[in-house]
């Protein structure tokens, strides 16, 4: 039951016994001068001040028509985000705020990756899926057994879908899609040839038995383990909620004010929870405050404390905010470093006064910025390592440009949710090869004599179809965009025969493993295949072998024509849909 996977920018494979395997491979220059500077109005001398020949720094600023800097709030801000204040760090932060010094850490460059995980890669369907992906220019990952089948250009990682502790999440980082061809092993009781000729013929009846782990272990618990391992990597149809909902408004995300007091300013903001402030009278977050340009300030913001574990949002395409606008332009800042003062990746967004609206900010629109100055040499945004979020209302845009909606005074921005989203049209992220007949063993009034052996012998085979159906249900309940393919009896015949796609789990017949592999790969790219469960067979009867004339091969199929005609959701006779 051992298997392997490897890391590189490529798909991942696995053996048919329940294993998996993996791959072939800004800043503004703020200077402040307190005396003699043209920034300040002349100090007016009056007899009332004769008794005091010396003026403190705080007094000078006040005399100059400025507001005094609240150094206590500055220290409290540092304490909130960075823990107990270190005097040296405070001095360093004060100096850097005035000198505009560079960030202390350069974000690491993100390695681009578009990996497809193929499980069951040494089996009849999985091996063909890998071949098709390679022909399309997509590399692959695999297990040692697969070297002889798939070539030597691989890195190996050991794993087993029936053993949860072997599925380390780091194996799956960068994987975007999954073709799952793992299946429990069924073979003839009397034995088989080394290359499993009896099993692969797929038509003639032999007395079967389960080889290796049980259907419950592979088809159900193994599916559960696999879904848990890849769920964060491949993404969810509804996106990944970062903030919002009744259970997350004051959960792992902790917001705090981060205003221009860190630059000597006097603007002030806060984060609040409004119990009935959302558009559905539910709870919502509220970013509110008062912004002032006194002391050369002009911004307010709320920022989350660094996440305990960085959020991996690499499966998604951007961040969506649900906000009630006030007609002003705000900024979303996403950070990929635990450092306090470093590059942030920023996008501005406009709001409509008095209206709830969804604001989608693609990751591709985020600009690397340090203290309102763009940093063209910064590393690309790394969606796999998000460490904090920040909302800002500022006088400044970037590189000296001003926010056209900026006004001093009070403001409010209610926001009910922040989530990572997948671009539409959404395509399947998990394509699963199941089996026709999974709903039939318990179907009332079914004539078992006309059913395939697996249906007739379901209990004798460890309830194989029952657990396959339970595994399907786990996929449908996972929230991952999926396609479930239920082939009839699998053969070693070539692809190319005319096909029948059906729903309701009623058809019997045969279909080639190669055809199923083509269907799986086509489904990965088709929005019309999302949330579709279907059976498929060839129009060629059992009694006629299907052959292809090499001099006159059949035309390539447009599987999307079939996908479009299918209904979404569970479609079988047991459910009655």
């Amino acid at each position: 039951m051992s298997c392997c996977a490897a890391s590189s920018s490529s798909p991942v494979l696995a053996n048919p016994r329940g294993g998996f395997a993996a791959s072939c491979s800004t800043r503004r220059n703020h200077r402040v001068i307190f005396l003699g500077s043209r920034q300040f109005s002349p100090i007016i001398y009056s007899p009332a001040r004769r008794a005091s020949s010396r003026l403190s720094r705080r007094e000078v600023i006040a005399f100059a028509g400025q507001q005094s800097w609240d150094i206590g709030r500055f220290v409290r801000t540092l304490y909130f985000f960075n823990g107990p204040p270190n005097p040296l760090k405070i001095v360093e932060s004060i100096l850097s705020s005035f000198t505009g010094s560079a960030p202390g850490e350069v974000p690491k460059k993100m390695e681009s990756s578009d990996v497809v995980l193929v499980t069951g890669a040494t089996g009849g369907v999985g091996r063909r899926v890998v071949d098709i992906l390679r022909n399309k220019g997509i590399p692959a990952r695999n297990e040692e057994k697969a070297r002889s089948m798939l070539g030597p250009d691989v890195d190996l990682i050991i794993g087993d879908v029936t053993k949860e502790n072997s599925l380390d999440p780091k194996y799956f980082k960068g994987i975007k899609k999954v073709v799952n061809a793992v299946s429990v092993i069924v073979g003839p009781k009397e034995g088989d040839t080394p290359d499993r000729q009896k099993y692969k013929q797929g038509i003639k009846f032999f007395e079967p038995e389960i080889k290796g782990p049980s259907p419950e272990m592979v088809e159900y618990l193994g599916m559960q383990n696999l879904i848990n391992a890849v769920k964060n990597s491949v993404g969810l149809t509804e996106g990944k909620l970062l903030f919002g909902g009744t259970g997350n408004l004051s959960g792992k995300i902790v917001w705090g004010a981060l205003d221009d007091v860190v630059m000597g300013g006097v603007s002030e903001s806060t984060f609040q929870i409004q119990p009935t402030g959302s558009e559905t009278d539910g709870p919502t977050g509220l970013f509110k405050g008062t912004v002032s340009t006194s002391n050369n300030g002009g911004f307010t913001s709320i920022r989350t404390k660094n996440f305990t574990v960085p959020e991996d949002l690499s499966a998604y395409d951007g961040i969506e905010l649900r906000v009630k606008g006030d007609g002003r332009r705000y900024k979303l800042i996403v950070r990929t470093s635990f450092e306090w003062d470093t590059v942030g990746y920023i996008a501005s967004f406009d709001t409509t006064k008095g209206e709830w609206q969804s604001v989608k900010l693609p990751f591709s629109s985020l600009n690397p910025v340090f203290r309102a100055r763009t940093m063209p040499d910064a590393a690309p945004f790394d969606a796999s390592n998000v460490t904090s979020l920040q909302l800002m209302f500022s006088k400044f845009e970037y590189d000296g440009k001003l926010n056209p909606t900026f006004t001093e005074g009070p403001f409010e921005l209610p926001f009910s949710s922040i989530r990572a989203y997948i671009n539409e049209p959404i395509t399947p992220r998990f394509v699963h090869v199941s089996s026709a007949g999974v709903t039939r063993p318990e179907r009332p009034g079914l004539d078992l004599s006309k059913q395939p052996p697996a249906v007739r012998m379901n209990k004798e085979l460890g309830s194989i179809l029952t657990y396959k159906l339970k595994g399907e249900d786990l996929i449908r309940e996972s929230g991952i965009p999926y396609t479930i393919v239920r082939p009839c009896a699998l053969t070693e015949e070539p692809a190319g025969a005319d096909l029948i796609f059906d729903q309701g789990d009623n058809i019997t017949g045969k279909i080639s493993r190669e055809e199923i592999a083509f269907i799986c790969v086509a489904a990965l790219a088709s929005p019309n295949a999302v949330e579709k469960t279907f059976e498929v067979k060839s129009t060629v009867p059992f009694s006629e072998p299907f052959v292809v004339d090499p001099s006159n091969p059949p035309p390539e199929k447009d599987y999307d024509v079939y996908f479009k005609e299918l209904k979404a959701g569970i479609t079988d006779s047991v459910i009655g849909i």
Side-chain angles (χ1 to χ4, degrees):
M1 184 57 69
S2 64
C3 66
C4 70
S7 59
S8 80
S9 54
S10 51
V12 180
L13 325 172
N15 68 40
R17 298 171 181 248
F20 69 88
S23 126
C24 324
S25 164
T26 96
R27 84 203 142 220
R28 295 182 59 82
N29 187 16
H30 295 286
R31 300 183 63 196
V32 178
I33 303 174
F34 290 102
L35 292 175
S37 168
R38 294 182 181 179
Q39 296 183 50
F40 301 101
S41 304
I43 297 176
I44 301 174
Y45 180 83
S46 71
R49 299 292 300 174
R50 286 180 183 174
S52 176
S53 60
R54 290 176 136 186
L55 297 177
S56 70
R57 169 171 154 183
R58 183 179 294 261
E59 289 170 326
V60 171
I61 296 175
F63 259 73
Q66 306 290 307
Q67 296 184 40
S68 59
W69 182 36
D70 189 344
I71 191 170
R73 187 157 65 93
F74 171 78
V75 172
R76 288 193 298 273
T77 298
L78 290 184
Y79 183 90
F80 179 86
F81 289 103
N82 296 311
N86 180 321
L88 293 177
K89 288 288 186 180
I90 293 176
V91 172
E92 179 183 326
S93 183
I94 294 173
L95 291 176
S96 66
S97 71
F98 292 148
T99 62
S101 56
E105 177 183 314
V106 177
K108 296 179 180 179
K109 184 177 181 180
M110 178 181 63
E111 296 295 331
S112 61
S113 176
D114 190 12
V115 179
V116 177
L117 170 70
V118 181
T119 63
T122 58
V125 173
R127 185 173 71 250
R128 290 169 172 86
V129 170
V130 174
D131 290 341
I132 295 168
L133 290 173
R134 280 182 163 168
N135 289 336
K136 288 178 173 287
I138 304 176
R141 299 180 181 178
N142 68 307
E143 192 245 71
E144 186 172 2
K145 178 182 176 183
R147 285 191 187 275
S148 60
M149 298 179 180
L150 307 172
D153 51 340
V154 296
D155 299 321
L156 303 179
I157 302 172
I158 305 302
D160 184 337
V161 298
T162 68
K163 298 176 181 177
E164 183 180 12
N165 59 4
S166 75
L167 304 183
D168 192 320
K170 70 183 180 184
Y171 296 167
F172 304 98
K173 192 169 184 176
I175 289 170
K176 297 298 179 63
K177 299 193 176 188
V178 176
V179 177
N180 181 37
V182 165
S183 176
V184 67
I185 300 300
V186 180
K189 281 185 178 181
E190 70 272 16
D192 203 346
T193 60
D195 54 0
R196 302 186 72 206
Q197 284 294 323
K198 292 180 182 179
Y199 176 76
K200 288 181 179 178
Q201 61 188 332
I203 300 173
K204 295 181 181 180
F205 175 76
F206 55 81
E207 190 175 1
E209 67 178 0
I210 300 297
K211 309 286 187 178
S214 68
E216 181 180 13
M217 288 295 297
V218 176
E219 305 289 351
Y220 180 65
L221 296 177
M223 178 69 77
Q224 194 171 62
N225 293 337
L226 180 59
I227 288 173
N228 289 338
V230 304
K231 195 171 184 178
N232 285 335
S233 183
V234 300
L236 306 178
T237 301
E238 296 299 322
K240 184 172 186 177
L241 187 66
L242 303 174
F243 171 86
T246 55
N248 195 31
L249 282 175
S250 58
K252 66 178 182 179
I253 288 187
V254 179
W255 297 89
L258 180 55
D259 304 320
D260 57 18
V261 67
V262 298
M263 310 290 286
V266 297
S267 300
E268 191 167 3
S269 68
T270 185
F271 169 77
Q272 299 176 0
I273 296 292
Q274 289 188 318
T276 59
S278 76
E279 55 196 313
T280 59
D281 294 327
T284 188
L286 177 65
F287 169 34
K288 66 179 295 185
T290 301
V291 65
S292 170
T293 58
S294 295
N295 296 11
N296 297 302
F299 77 84
T300 61
S301 76
I302 53 172
R303 175 173 167 176
T304 66
K305 285 188 173 182
N306 285 336
F307 305 145
T308 304
V309 177
E311 290 282 357
D312 182 357
L313 305 182
S314 58
Y316 301 94
D317 299 300
I319 290 181
E320 179 181 13
L321 302 94
R322 188 69 181 168
V323 303
K324 185 177 182 180
D326 59 1
R328 293 180 172 92
R329 177 176 295 177
Y330 292 86
K331 296 177 182 178
L332 173 70
I333 306 173
V334 186
R335 284 187 167 77
T336 58
S337 169
F338 285 120
E339 289 294 310
W340 157 252
D341 193 22
T342 188
V343 170
Y345 294 83
I346 303 181
S348 297
F349 61 94
D350 293 308
T351 65
T352 303
K353 188 173 183 178
E355 292 185 10
W356 280 98
Q357 61 189 106
S358 293
V359 178
K360 286 190 172 182
L361 302 174
F363 291 144
S364 59
S365 71
L366 298 177
N367 296 304
V369 175
F370 182 66
R371 298 183 188 165
R373 182 176 177 183
T374 55
M375 305 293 286
D377 296 330
F381 174 69
D382 182 359
S384 70
N385 192 53
V386 173
T387 58
S388 68
L389 302 173
Q390 187 174 354
L391 287 170
M392 177 178 285
F393 179 49
S394 175
K395 172 183 177 180
F396 304 100
E397 284 285 284
Y398 319 102
D399 302 324
K401 295 181 180 179
L402 300 179
N403 179 351
T405 71
F406 178 80
T407 55
E408 293 192 68
F411 69 91
E412 290 191 359
L413 182 71
F415 60 103
S416 58
S417 67
I418 301 176
R419 72 174 67 241
Y421 69 88
I422 299 176
N423 278 337
E424 295 182 349
I426 296 173
T427 56
R429 300 292 178 95
F430 197 109
V431 177
H432 172 59
V433 181
S434 183
S435 173
V438 293
T439 69
R440 299 178 206 176
E442 306 300 327
R443 188 180 299 174
L446 189 69
D447 186 351
L448 290 178
S449 66
K450 296 181 180 179
Q451 294 301 313
V455 177
R456 299 199 303 268
M457 302 182 66
N458 181 55
K459 289 184 178 179
E460 291 83 348
L461 293 173
S463 299
I464 180 172
L465 295 180
T466 303
Y467 283 111
K468 280 183 178 289
L469 181 59
K470 286 179 177 289
E472 287 185 10
D473 289 339
L474 290 175
I475 299 170
R476 282 185 279 261
E477 295 164 2
S478 70
I480 300 171
Y482 70 88
T483 301
I484 297 174
V485 186
R486 294 172 171 174
C488 290
L490 293 166
T491 74
E492 292 295 293
E493 295 171 341
D498 291 336
L499 302 177
I500 294 175
F501 282 62
D502 197 20
Q503 293 177 294
D505 195 18
N506 295 305
I507 62 174
T508 59
K510 67 176 182 177
I511 187 169
S512 80
R513 291 179 171 87
E514 184 178 41
E515 195 81 65
I516 293 299
F518 278 115
I519 291 170
C520 289
V521 174
L524 288 174
S526 174
N528 293 307
V530 173
E531 296 187 2
K532 303 290 178 70
T533 298
F534 58 89
E535 299 79 50
V536 59
K537 71 172 185 175
S538 160
T539 59
V540 179
F542 280 123
S543 58
E544 297 178 16
F546 178 72
V547 295
V548 170
D549 181 358
S551 64
N552 186 28
E556 291 187 8
K557 291 186 178 68
D558 181 0
Y559 297 101
D560 214 40
V561 173
Y562 298 100
F563 298 150
K564 287 179 182 178
E565 299 300 318
L566 300 171
K567 296 179 181 179
I570 305 172
T571 56
D572 57 64
S573 298
V574 171
I575 305 301
I577 295 178

